[in-house]
């Protein structure tokens, strides 16, 4: 049987033995957070995930002005209500994420194997209890809970976005200002995100070595596929990898990437950088800059402000479906573990649905004949 002292995050590992604290409450609370962080690190969770959870617990403690062994269910309800009532109210998915993080923390400090209940009883006369239950947390009843205004772009909107990105290059050149090379980079970057259905981090992390030949599509040369190494990871796992093939409907990306690699990128003088997207300061383009490139083109094209970079990935999925690619192929291209996730990304047009209907009617005319 595992002893409490053997478990990473146990009170005995983060509380100094035999030390009398002048203010024991904040000392024990800090030790709880340190122990919880330790416990999560042993599960190989991302440092960013761990830090955001710890910060949330601190934020909740500041809201209640109490310590975990004093918390009650009514306080977490008041906390969520407060966050819903501000100038920037949280959405349902955010509320659920906060509740899940707080629930995990309470599961940790109420687990006798980590010895926190005993420590709190001895020092403060009361032990922490779970304050989040099924009856006071957000139920997950819908597959998609995002902003309904976020959607795939139409073909015309995609073209308008790219036209606006290209026009920015000409505008900078006409004014004889610096930044034309960066503008070309941003335009090719946005086209690459759409042409391969990439997430922001996946596009950001591309290196020159990730450009692949496809022996079945030799006409695309070194751009027959992209090897994605920074796919979305599961909890505690490294980033997932996949190969995304260049499809004929998106073959216009090949000359765009050729121009970037053969003409524009060398002019930036990237040195020995392996990154595909580089800045004039000889560094990899930041993830924030990827977002900013999309937002600048979106605003210049007059597209709705609710559309974001990830909508290009939704557009890619939708358009592949409308190009009649099998759903399994689309699922593999975008790296979804489940077909239901791919379905959430899909927003096919009425024209496509009517085309499917006409095709079905032509195949089964005998069912619709008149006697």
């Amino acid at each position: 049987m595992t002893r409490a002292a053997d478990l990473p995050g146990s009170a005995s590992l983060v509380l100094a033995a035999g030390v009398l604290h002048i203010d024991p409450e904040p000392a024990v609370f800090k030790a709880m957070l340190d122990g919880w962080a330790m416990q999560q690190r042993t599960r190989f969770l991302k440092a960013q995930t761990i830090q955001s959870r710890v910060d949330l617990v601190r934020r909740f403690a500041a809201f209640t002005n109490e310590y975990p062994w004093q918390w009650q269910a009514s306080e977490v309800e008041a906390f969520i209500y407060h966050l819903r009532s501000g100038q920037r109210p949280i959405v349902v998915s955010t509320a659920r994420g906060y509740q899940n993080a707080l629930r995990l923390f309470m599961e940790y400090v109420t687990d006798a194997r980590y010895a926190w209940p005993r420590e709190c009883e001895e020092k403060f006369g009361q032990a922490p209890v779970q304050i989040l239950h099924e009856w006071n947390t957000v139920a997950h009843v819908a597959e998609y809970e995002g902003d309904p205004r976020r959607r795939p772009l139409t073909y015309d909107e995609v073209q308008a976005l790219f036209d606006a990105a290209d026009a920015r290059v000409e505008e900078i050149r006409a004014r004889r200002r610096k930044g034309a090379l960066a503008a070309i980079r941003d335009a090719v970057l946005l086209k690459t995100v759409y042409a391969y259905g990439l997430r922001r981090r996946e596009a950001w992390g591309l290196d020159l070595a990730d450009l692949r030949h496809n022996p079945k599509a030799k006409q695309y040369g070194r751009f027959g596929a992209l090897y994605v190494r920074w796919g979305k990871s599961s909890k505690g796992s490294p980033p997932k990898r996949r190969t995304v093939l260049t499809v004929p409907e998106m073959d216009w990306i090949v000359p765009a990437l050729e121009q970037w690699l053969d003409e524009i990128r060398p002019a930036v003088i990237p040195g020995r950088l392996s990154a595909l997207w580089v800045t004039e300061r000889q560094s990899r383009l930041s993830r924030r800059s990827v977002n900013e490139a999309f937002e600048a083109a979106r605003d210049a094209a007059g597209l709705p402000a609710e559309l974001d970079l990830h909508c290009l990935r939704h557009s890619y999925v939708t358009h592949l479906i409308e190009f009649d690619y099998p759903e399994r192929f689309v699922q593999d291209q975008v790296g979804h573990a489940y077909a239901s996730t791919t379905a959430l990304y899909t927003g096919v047009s009425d024209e496509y649905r009517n085309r499917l209907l006409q095709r079905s009617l032509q195949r089964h005319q005998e069912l619709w004949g008149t006697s």
Side-chain angles (χ1 to χ4, degrees), residues 220 246-255:
Y220 300 146
T246 304
V247 297
E249 292 81 1
M250 307 289 186
D251 60 2
W252 43 261
I253 193 61
V254 173

Side-chain angles (χ1 to χ4, degrees), residues 37 41 47 116 136 219 346:
R41 283 195 293 272
W116 291 112
N136 69 342
Q219 67 271 30
T346 308

Side-chain angles (χ1 to χ4, degrees), residues 251-322:
D251 60 2
W252 43 261
I253 193 61
V254 173
L257 283 170
E258 284 179 339
Q259 181 193 29
W260 165 247
L261 281 182
D262 296 339
E263 302 175 24
I264 310 303
R265 188 178 183 276
V268 179
I269 314 178
R272 301 180 64 180
L273 276 177
S274 61
L276 180 59
W277 313 112
V278 293
T279 73
E280 293 173 315
R281 296 182 179 180
Q282 297 185 336
S283 63
R284 183 185 294 270
L285 187 70
S286 69
R287 280 178 274 184
R288 179 185 293 274
S289 295
V290 179
N291 281 349
E292 291 172 348
F294 176 85
E295 292 165 1
R298 177 199 64 198
D299 295 344
L303 299 179
E306 295 80 16
L307 301 178
D308 61 12
L309 181 75
H310 202 67
C311 291
L312 285 180
R313 181 170 160 86
H314 287 243
S315 306
Y316 175 79
V317 171
T318 297
H319 296 163
L320 284 194
I321 294 295
E322 293 189 343

Side-chain angles (χ1 to χ4, degrees), residues 50-71:
I50 297 172
Q51 189 60 53
S52 64
R53 288 177 173 177
V54 170
D55 290 344
L56 175 66
V57 174
R58 288 199 181 101
R59 184 179 175 186
F60 179 60
F63 175 82
T64 63
N65 198 31
E66 293 180 338
Y67 293 103
W69 50 91
Q70 301 169 319
W71 291 346

